[in-house]
Structure formats: C-alpha cells, structure tokens
Amino acid sequence: MTIPVSPSHGTLRPLGLSEVTLKPGFWQRRQEVNRTATLAHIEHWLEKAGWLGNFSAPPDERRGREFADSEVYKFLEAMAWELGRHPDPELEVRYQKIVARVAEAQEADGYLNTNFGRPGQQPRYSDLEWGHELYCYGHLIQAAVARARTSGSDQLVDVAVRVADHVCDVFGPGGIASVCGHAEIEPALVELYRVTGNARYLEQARLFVERRGHQILDDIEFGRAYFQDDMPVRDATVLRGHAVRAVYLASGAVDVAVETGDTELLDAVAGQWSNTVARRVYITGGIGSRHQDEAFGDDFVLPPDRAYSETCAGVGSVMLAWRLLLAQGDPRYADLIERTLFNVIATSPSDDGTRFFYTNTLHQRVLGTEPPADELVPRAASTLRAPWFSVSCCPTNLARTFAGLAAYLATYSDEGLQIHQYAAASIRAAGIGLEIDTDYPVSGRVSIRVTASPAEEWTLTLRVPHWADGATVDGEPVTPGLVHLRRRFAPGDTVVLDLAVRPRLTAPDPRIDAVRGCAVVERGPVVYCAESVDLPEGVAVDALRLDADGGLADRDGGVEVTCHVSPPVDGAWPYGPARPAGDGSERVPVMLRPYHDWASRGPSTMRVWLPLGE
C-alpha cells in the first residue's frame, strides 16, 4: 500500500495515497504546487549546486556539505510518492535517471557515500559525530520504501537493500558499537523491515536505539544532549538537544517499540512528547528555540524573536506525532499535527513553491532583504523566503511531506474509520466510501457524505479540536476530543460537523517570560500575526498594544483588532518610570493576517505575540 508509515499493529491503521485523495482546497493547492513547481525547482538546484553531480564527480570535485547526498534521497522520496499518487511518464524518466546516477556510485560491499572513503577523503565512519553517513542512508532507505510501496521493487530498492545489509554487517553485533550523530537510520530500517520482512533490519534499528545515550559519541561544545547521547532513550523525560535529531530518534524509537511490543519504550517516548508539548513548543507548533545548536531550549524558554523553529523540525514533529497517534489513538497527537501543518509546514514555502523559510521566527523586527534568485544563502540568515540554501534540507523535506500529505488525514480500525484532519477529500477504504466537502479552515463546516458502506454497523470517529468549544455534529453539541458515531450507514447519508472557527485570544503560560503580558489571536487552527504592510503609515509593529476589550472581527480573510499605538520615547537611556500601556496612546484598527501568509507581499516586519494594552 502507498503508505509512508505502515506499522504491523497499533490502535489505528493508516490509509494509503490510493485510498485518500485531496480535492480542491487549502492542502490540495499546496500539493499541486509541489508537484508542478517545487519538484522541478529542487531538481534544478540539485544540479546547479553540484549535489547530484557528486555521484559521478571525482572526490576532489565534490561540492556541498557532508550530508548533501541526503537531499538527493529526500527528492527521490518525494518523486516516488508523487508517482504513486499521480503517474507521470516524464517524471518517471527523471526519477530513473537520478536513481541510475546514485546506483553507479555504490561500492561492491554496499557502501554508498560521496564524502567519505575515496582517495583524498576521510576514511569511512571516521566521523560518526558529524559525518552523517548513516543519516544519509536513512533517507536513501526511506526513498526506496516509498518506491517499493508505490511501484514495487526497482533499482533504488536494490541499492537500499544492499546499503541496509552493509549497515547490519558493519554496525551489528561484533561490529562498530556506535551510532550516527544525526538520527534517521532508525525509522528507515524499521520501514524497510516492514517492506521486506527481513527481521535483521528491525534488530539493527533496535540496537541503534538502545545504544543511544551511553556517551558513545565524543563530547562537543553543545554537550552530548545535542546528539541525544547524554542518557538512554528510556530514561529521558523530555525531548532535548538538536530538535530534528530529537524527533527523528523518537520516531525511530516508536517504530521499534511498536514492532517489538516494547510498551515501556513506547510509554517513555509518549511521556517525552507530552512534557515537550507542555513546556517546549511554540504556539505555532514549531520546535527549537536556540539558534546556536538548532536545539530545544529549557522549559518555557520560547522567545518569539529568537524562534529557530526549523521547517525540518516541524516535519519531524509531524512524523513523531503521527506514529504516536497510530500506536495510541490519542487525539492530542492529531491536534499538534494540525497546528504544525497550518503554522509551520504551510508557512515555509512561497505561494509558487520556489522559495522557502528555513527558520520560522515569530517576530521580525527589521525589514528583510529579498534573496537573489540564483544564489545559495545561509540557512538562518535569510529574513525572507529564499530559493535555496547552503544547507537545503527543508525544501526537500517539504516536498516529500506534501507528496504524501493525504496519508495523514484518516485511519481505520476494526471499529470503523477515523478522520483526524479536515480537508476536502475522497476516501475509499475497508468497503467505506466518503466524500468530504469543506473550505476549512475558512469556515468550520465539514460535510461528510457516505458513498459506500458495509451492511453492518460501523463507527465514524471525528476529532473535535481542543479549541473548538461550541462544536456540533448534525446540530447536536459535542465537546472537544473524539466523537464516535456508530450506526448502519447507507450511501447518501450525510454527517455535518460544525467547528466553531472564530477569532479568539490566547494567553501564554506565565512562565514563558518572553511573552508574559502578551496575547495571540487564533482562528480555528491558524495563528495570526500583525505585519507592517497592514499598518497605518508611520505606525511600527513594535508600537502596538492589543486592546483585549476591543473585539475581534472577521474581515476579508483577516481578523481586525483594536490596538493602542504607544508613542515612541527616544532618549539616551531605554528605561524609565512604569506607566500604563495605554497612557498617551491613540487607538487604531489593525488587520491581522494568517501567519502562514506572512512576507508573501514583500519585506515586512511582523509579530505574532502582541503586548496587551490597558
């Protein structure tokens, strides 16, 4: 089946891309832009930057960072999911040509890396802290899994199997008893086990998970927590260190736990997830508040203007929450997936799919500079979306996510079918057919029409988001959580879910010092922000103080609020007597826009958290 994640058992079972099809709407537009524009854009840059050429270039001509191979593999994964979703002969030819280039670089024993092991390069596995060899293998294997599930075995699958066998030979019992500084091989090996049935791959993934945290890797300036090598996975109580590494490792640990029946390991990761969400996640769902090491900060350290909130970390967060949802069925996981999709994943790419945010700040203090269309830019230095980065992990990660996005909408179980994310879509699974019509999140009405149904009773389960007080199903009030509708459905039956999509004010936990005394405007799952392009002339974003009693009004795709505009007090010292925030200020209407659209109209200053006026 065309499924990105396919556990052998769990509370819920995923549906594949052949069973869920997006219809015109918020997510289908982004998926189509990905197919028609982003894939070609990525391929152009992989060639231009020389990262594709590395597979045939002499060692002394290799270009890019040590992990550049992985971007080619993530691109192949995106192509594989797209070809499974939308067959395209021209895209198929491009895919096969790239696979042939990759295969040509594989060595006789299965080793495959353009940065190590050749004349003039460092020896194989001589830098496990930073070399990313196993990390690159992980993305290669995941690309092959995508191909196997959409088209069957081919040259890429053969390459990946040889790589996996090599990894087991070198890092298995009696081999190198270490791990990669960047987790990723772990979930990949489990998925390859699920495809091939070769238990050797599952055992190797288990070994990697169990080895982590025993101070195997060399210590570094950021500490071993950066690699999650400071304590065993089972002993940790919260996600920490480099954010992408953390969620990739946790995803692999969930996969291992599910396949081996290790409830202790599963519960440990679920507990880490819960504590992280309670203390270390931004209002957007973004993770990672430290630029220096792209890492989680301490509890409640979530400064908006220093939010790193890497796009790849958002992708990894969705990967982890989805695995936990399948394993345990708790709707909190789907709530975070929704928040992250709408406010991180949807924020990164431009409308035309050819520019991207690497990091996702929540407060832009100065006007950004439009990056050149034909130059690589530093990853964290871009204040506007850029076409390509010297580290371009995010565009390729987005591409594979959008290509497989429909798989995150719904699941099934022995009881029936569950809908977790709301989008216009067609579902055909387990003898059930549904047509979902909605313009969500513009409005909260979701109409679900049954087009096929078994004769016996089954349960349709709907997630009511935690923010949706006042929701109804067929006019009857329901509370946030899960609504189970068990009956004998017949073709033509319709269920209407109405979610209370309206503007609301959200306050932070007072322990988040950086935004104490502020509020965010949310509407449904979407976070809103103030942008300088929407303000009266001469009014700065940082002068705004939100009038909490001024009302919130839907206006032309935005939310209109009332703000005090505090006059600037310039002097030789930026401190003075305390005074009410509204003292001496004028009141002006301000239009807030969805955060995922910010900087779409050119350079702007922006803030999500608005100080409250008096």
Side-chain angles (χ1 to χ4, degrees), residues 31 38 117 153 216 251 261 276 283 362 376 395 398 460 608:
Q31 191 176 66
T38 302
S153 184
I216 295 172
S251 294
T276 301
I283 186 73
L362 275 67
L376 284 77
L398 286 170
L460 174 63
V608 166

Side-chain angles (χ1 to χ4, degrees), residues 21-39 82 85 342 345-346 349-354 398 402-403 405-406 422-425 438-443 526 557 594 596-597:
T21 303
L22 293 175
K23 299 193 294 188
F26 186 94
W27 290 116
Q28 195 254 16
R29 285 194 299 274
R30 284 155 178 80
Q31 191 176 66
E32 281 302 292
V33 167
N34 186 61
R35 181 179 71 86
T36 59
T38 302
L39 292 184
E82 264 307 328
R85 185 184 75 83
F342 277 107
I345 305 304
S350 61
D351 290 341
D352 66 359
T354 64
L398 286 170
F402 283 127
L405 189 62
Y422 296 110
T438 182
D439 64 352
Y440 187 81
V442 175
S443 77
V526 178
H596 59 241
D597 285 338

Side-chain angles (χ1 to χ4, degrees), residues 281-287 309 313-314 317 336 339-341 343-344 527:
V281 175
Y282 281 101
I283 186 73
T284 56
I287 54 176
S309 184
S317 176
L336 186 68
R339 180 173 294 276
T340 307
L341 286 174
N343 300 296
V344 178
V527 171

